[in-house]
Amino acid sequence: MSTTPSTLFDKVWDSHVVRKIADGPDVFFIDRHFIHEVTSPVAFLGLEQRGLKVMFPEKTFATADHNTPTINQHLPVQDPLSANQLKALEQNSAKYGISHWGLGNPKNGIVHVVGPENGITLPGMTIVCGDSHTSTHGAFGAIAFGIGTSEVEMVLSSQCIMQPKPKKMRIVVNGQLNKGVLPKDVILYIIAKLTAAGATGYFVEYAGEVFEQMSMEGRMTVCNMSIEMGARGGMIAPDETTYAYIKGREKAPKGEAWDKALAYWKTLKTDEGATFDKEYHFDAADIEPMITFGTNPGMGIGITQHIPVSQEEGKGKASYEKSLTYMGFAENEPMLGKKVDYVFIGSCTNGRIEDFRAFASIVKGRKKADHVTAWIVPGSHIVESQIREEGILDILTEAGFQLRQPGCSACLAMNDDKIPAGKYAVSTSNRNFEGRQGPGARTLLASPLVAAAAAVTGVVTDPRELL
Amino acid sequence: MAYDKFTILKSSAVPLPIENVDTDQIIPARFLKATERKGFGDNLFRDWRYNSDDTPKKDFVLNNPIYSGKILVAGKNFGSGSSREHAAWAIYDYGFRCVVSSFFADIFKNNSLNIGILPVTVSPEFLDKIYKAIEADPKAELEVNLPEQTITILATGEKESFDINGYKKHNLMNGFDDIDYLQAMKAEIAAFAEKSLY
């Protein structure tokens, strides 16, 4: 080979640069644009004020998810502000000819769940959305990341954004995962090692046996949380697992178009000898079920460990102490046995069918702890159907749980699903920030297995004891 | 959205020496329900600023009348978390034109530049010097000079240079935005789209 070896990220990025600006960003072409009701209205207003059109309406997909209620979705939305945003999305989509999956549409669900499950997300694409967890779509070997509302307006009006190219990081995890360890634990472990700012300025490629053996659902969970260590996004090279997941989905290429796409997808991998700006290696055997104890996703430990004593001084130590005070925890305490008030399974991180299968594997034959309120929220109507068809709903019902309707729900608590102040929630979502799940809410991030173990025992429990 | 031109800003500053300030703190999700870009400043740092009965929390810096100014000085990893541009809108709407920190989260930094807020990254040592200057005199002024790319503590004359991408600097100094630029190259974009697989 005479060409210079390049990374997966370089291949996808460089093929989407329309123009390079000297001492400036790249004009970067976007293949797929997802929009939802919260970060798009002001962008549409901007278009109107400037008298601009949507350049390629067929490349944008709208779904309602952040604000939507998770019960009685057939009734009018009670909160007038939420109803207003949902109406704005519907009207703007209709006005500009954008496909819209609103409340009640059988395809409706969380944007990062419905994109992949309908075959809209494909390898080698560039994908953006006014939502930081757009990094989820990197699981397919796409460059996908969150943007602000000004950029939403840019994409609507020109299908491009102005982006400096990030630096490249590779995170390799080799070996076999232990029993009871899920993809969520893998990413919480990596973030705990790198910290909440450890990958800022970088785009991450995940490589190694652990990711090669992972399902697409698991890869999406991992890529979803790349943003939680500051990375712009994360990606995994497409392989047979990827192609098998995509094949036959509604909007996936078919026939000749499939063959053509597949030939391209097979070129999407990091060449031997390509270099990264930074590289980390971890051993799968070191990872146990994880849980967070603080107020950023980097503050996580193995579930059997004790809350660490701060190694920092000055402002760093003060920030750490502020965090523990908010959580009502102290240094050196164990996490096992801590009382749990709420359990939330769902979100774009863990609202896919595999997550509910894992949850049900522990719940089966047990009962929900009396004092625990559990919100079980599928990521989409399609996931909801799978839950019913696979008999998971029966297991949940027998154990005393109720299934809710799809949406972002208690992940960011923009709807009525808010954890009350001071209460503890084991949550499969992505952020444990102060007030994220409601003002004063205390969030412990964990996998669906850890969530299930907490839901049936009422305390933080090692799920391996219940498997 | 066009914004004010930014050249030289001389102002006192508000200190917020907390690390990992995420966008959910800057503007909690429940305030993202607007369909227009206005009024976000009232809810900037809402849960740090007000009690649940809407009375101001005395110990929070925005409620302390001795501090004021157009510059916010924050701890490292400022603006992490969500991509919500509402966080930058809230900072702008409150009256800040510049945020100084030793480290910014990526998307927040981009969003700020896109709406006319200048994020200035300084060394941890210089950040400490700024905090000390404000501690000594809450009215201590900073001068942020975008053309020269410097930030100066006027009381002591201590100065540091900062980096900014040349294109973004040009935009900020002239009040231009990216949409103007992209509109001017629509034909090139259309030609590019023709060749695209998707």
Side-chain angles (χ1 to χ4, degrees):
Chain A
M1 293 275 285
S2 59
T3 51
T4 321
S6 59
T7 68
L8 165 63
F9 175 72
D10 287 326
K11 289 178 186 180
V12 182
W13 184 281
D14 295 347
S15 65
H16 286 83
V17 175
V18 181
R19 183 193 283 181
K20 285 188 108 58
I21 300 172
D23 192 21
D26 291 342
V27 176
F28 191 64
F29 189 81
I30 303 303
D31 295 314
R32 285 288 178 271
H33 183 203
F34 292 109
I35 59 173
H36 59 82
E37 75 277 17
V38 175
T39 57
S40 68
V42 173
F44 281 110
L45 205 60
L47 285 190
E48 204 153 297
Q49 284 162 353
R50 292 175 194 249
L52 298 175
K53 292 196 171 68
V54 175
M55 193 173 179
F56 294 105
E58 70 280 11
K59 294 184 191 293
T60 294
F61 294 83
T63 185
D65 55 8
H66 280 59
N67 263 328
T68 54
T70 56
I71 48 168
N72 292 327
Q73 288 186 350
H74 61 291
L75 298 177
V77 173
Q78 294 297 306
D79 180 336
L81 293 174
S82 295
N84 195 32
Q85 277 194 334
L86 294 166
K87 200 171 109 197
L89 185 72
E90 186 180 351
Q91 288 176 341
N92 285 323
S93 299
K95 180 175 172 186
Y96 292 100
I98 293 166
S99 149
H100 171 247
W101 294 341
L103 263 194
N105 187 306
K107 301 280 188 190
N108 176 253
I110 304 174
V111 57
H112 310 308
V113 176
V114 301
E117 77 185 359
N118 289 286
I120 301 173
T121 301
L122 299 173
M125 279 183 165
T126 53
I127 302 173
V128 293
C129 171
D131 184 289
S132 62
H133 292 104
T134 309
S135 60
T136 310
H137 307 267
F140 290 77
I143 289 182
F145 54 85
I147 56 174
T149 297
S150 296
E151 291 168 310
V152 172
E153 192 180 332
M154 287 177 215
V155 181
L156 290 171
S157 58
S158 70
Q159 208 57 38
C160 289
I161 50 173
M162 315 278 281
Q163 283 296 299
K165 190 176 177 181
K167 289 181 282 186
K168 291 166 282 181
M169 178 185 287
R170 180 157 61 184
I171 297 176
V172 182
V173 187
N174 277 318
Q176 297 296 316
L177 290 175
N178 294 310
K179 185 181 154 199
V181 174
L182 298 186
K184 180 63 164 288
D185 300 306
V186 175
I187 188 64
L188 283 173
Y189 177 85
I190 292 170
I191 302 168
K193 289 286 179 192
L194 267 59
T195 80
T200 303
Y202 291 87
F203 209 98
V204 176
E205 180 179 344
Y206 300 97
E209 291 157 4
V210 163
F211 305 109
E212 285 161 17
Q213 290 163 14
M214 211 175 256
S215 66
M216 288 312 292
E217 282 91 346
R219 293 179 192 183
M220 284 188 252
T221 300
V222 168
C223 290
N224 173 280
M225 289 192 71
S226 304
I227 183 73
E228 310 308 344
M229 51 187 170
R232 207 63 209 273
M235 69 198 305
I236 295 172
D239 60 7
E240 294 300 328
T241 305
T242 322
Y243 316 145
Y245 178 94
I246 296 168
K247 191 150 197 172
R249 292 192 185 257
E250 189 183 313
K251 292 185 185 296
K254 312 228 162 33
E256 265 180 53
W258 170 267
D259 296 337
K260 191 181 165 195
L262 189 64
Y264 168 56
W265 298 346
K266 289 190 168 170
T267 68
L268 297 173
K269 51 176 181 282
T270 292
D271 299 329
E272 197 80 35
T275 54
F276 290 81
D277 299 291
K278 215 172 223 179
E279 196 152 350
Y280 292 96
H281 289 257
F282 299 108
D283 186 347
D286 294 339
I287 307 174
E288 65 168 326
M290 299 284 294
I291 194 153
T292 64
F293 58 88
T295 56
N296 74 57
M299 300 173 79
I301 49 174
I303 198 161
T304 61
Q305 294 169 4
H306 288 213
I307 295 173
V309 175
S310 173
Q311 302 299 311
E312 294 196 73
E313 286 172 14
K315 295 188 176 66
K317 188 171 173 65
S319 297
Y320 188 82
E321 282 166 358
K322 180 179 183 297
S323 180
L324 290 189
T325 304
Y326 179 86
M327 293 303 293
F329 293 154
E331 292 176 342
N332 241 331
E333 280 181 348
M335 287 302 290
L336 285 176
K338 289 211 176 288
K339 188 175 168 236
V340 173
D341 307 296
Y342 283 74
V343 168
F344 171 56
I345 171 161
S347 84
C348 59
T349 311
N350 284 118
R352 297 182 181 78
I353 187 61
E354 205 173 86
D355 304 313
F356 295 95
R357 287 181 195 141
F359 191 84
S361 72
I362 283 196
V363 163
K364 191 173 184 177
R366 295 191 170 92
K367 292 280 177 210
K368 182 184 82 67
D370 287 339
H371 69 272
V372 168
T373 303
W375 289 331
I376 299 179
V377 186
S380 69
H381 282 297
I382 291 178
V383 173
E384 187 184 355
S385 307
Q386 289 171 312
I387 289 172
R388 291 175 195 280
E389 283 158 16
E390 294 187 12
I392 293 172
L393 180 60
D394 299 331
I395 295 171
L396 296 175
T397 309
E398 274 168 36
F401 294 97
Q402 282 178 338
L403 189 65
R404 296 174 84 91
Q405 291 171 297
C408 296
S409 180
C411 174
L412 82 169
M414 274 194 82
N415 64 357
D416 288 337
D417 304 344
K418 292 177 175 53
I419 312 293
K423 298 291 184 190
Y424 289 96
V426 170
S427 177
T428 62
S429 56
N430 39 57
R431 286 183 176 144
N432 50 354
F433 298 152
E434 286 186 29
R436 170 81 178 179
Q437 297 195 284
R442 291 159 159 172
T443 302
L444 315 177
L445 299 176
S447 77
L449 285 179
V450 174
V456 297
T457 62
V459 295
V460 174
T461 301
D462 189 336
R464 291 171 293 194
E465 292 171 11
L466 304 182
L467 282 171
Chain B
M1 191 76 65
Y3 45 75
D4 301 337
K5 296 177 184 181
F6 194 116
T7 47
I8 296 171
L9 175 65
K10 208 163 88 169
S11 171
S12 55
V14 178
L16 187 72
I18 301 169
E19 297 183 352
N20 299 311
V21 174
D22 59 74
T23 47
D24 278 75
Q25 307 320 311
I26 300 171
I27 185 88
R30 62 188 187 280
F31 301 114
L32 307 185
K33 295 191 181 191
T35 49
E36 289 179 85
R37 188 192 148 176
K38 56 184 180 195
F40 288 100
D42 293 344
N43 295 314
L44 173 67
F45 294 117
R46 182 77 202 189
D47 294 335
W48 287 355
R49 200 166 142 198
Y50 295 100
N51 294 303
S52 50
D53 62 357
D54 287 342
T55 53
K57 289 184 181 175
K58 282 207 177 63
D59 57 351
F60 186 61
V61 67
L62 293 192
N63 297 326
N64 189 337
I66 68 168
Y67 299 110
S68 64
K70 293 185 172 186
I71 302 171
L72 178 67
V73 185
K76 75 174 175 201
N77 199 25
F78 186 78
S80 58
S82 160
S83 63
R84 61 182 75 152
E85 196 170 291
H86 311 64
W89 297 343
I91 288 171
Y92 189 94
D93 191 47
Y94 184 85
F96 292 118
R97 290 294 173 270
C98 173
V99 184
V100 180
S101 177
S102 57
F103 195 93
F104 287 96
D106 252 357
I107 303 180
F108 176 80
K109 194 168 160 183
N110 256 322
N111 286 343
S112 296
L113 288 165
N114 281 338
I115 66 155
I117 296 171
L118 176 64
V120 172
T121 307
V122 296
S123 66
E125 296 74 29
F126 197 78
L127 190 67
D128 270 342
K129 284 179 186 169
I130 296 174
Y131 284 133
K132 286 205 177 83
I134 300 173
E135 211 172 294
D137 173 13
K139 294 283 165 228
E141 287 198 315
L142 305 176
E143 185 186 278
V144 180
N145 186 322
L146 179 58
E148 285 185 4
Q149 297 180 216
T150 56
I151 175 167
T152 309
I153 302 169
L154 292 175
T156 61
E158 289 164 303
K159 189 192 265 199
E160 195 170 86
S161 297
F162 61 85
D163 280 336
I164 182 168
N165 172 300
Y167 166 88
K168 284 292 179 191
K169 176 177 171 179
H170 178 78
N171 273 4
L172 273 177
M173 287 179 59
N174 293 285
F176 296 160
D177 75 8
D178 290 346
I179 293 176
D180 302 333
Y181 188 97
L182 290 168
Q183 283 304 306
M185 59 178 289
K186 288 271 281 271
E188 195 178 334
I189 295 169
F192 188 92
E194 280 289 307
K195 300 178 296 173
S196 158
L197 177 65
Y198 301 117

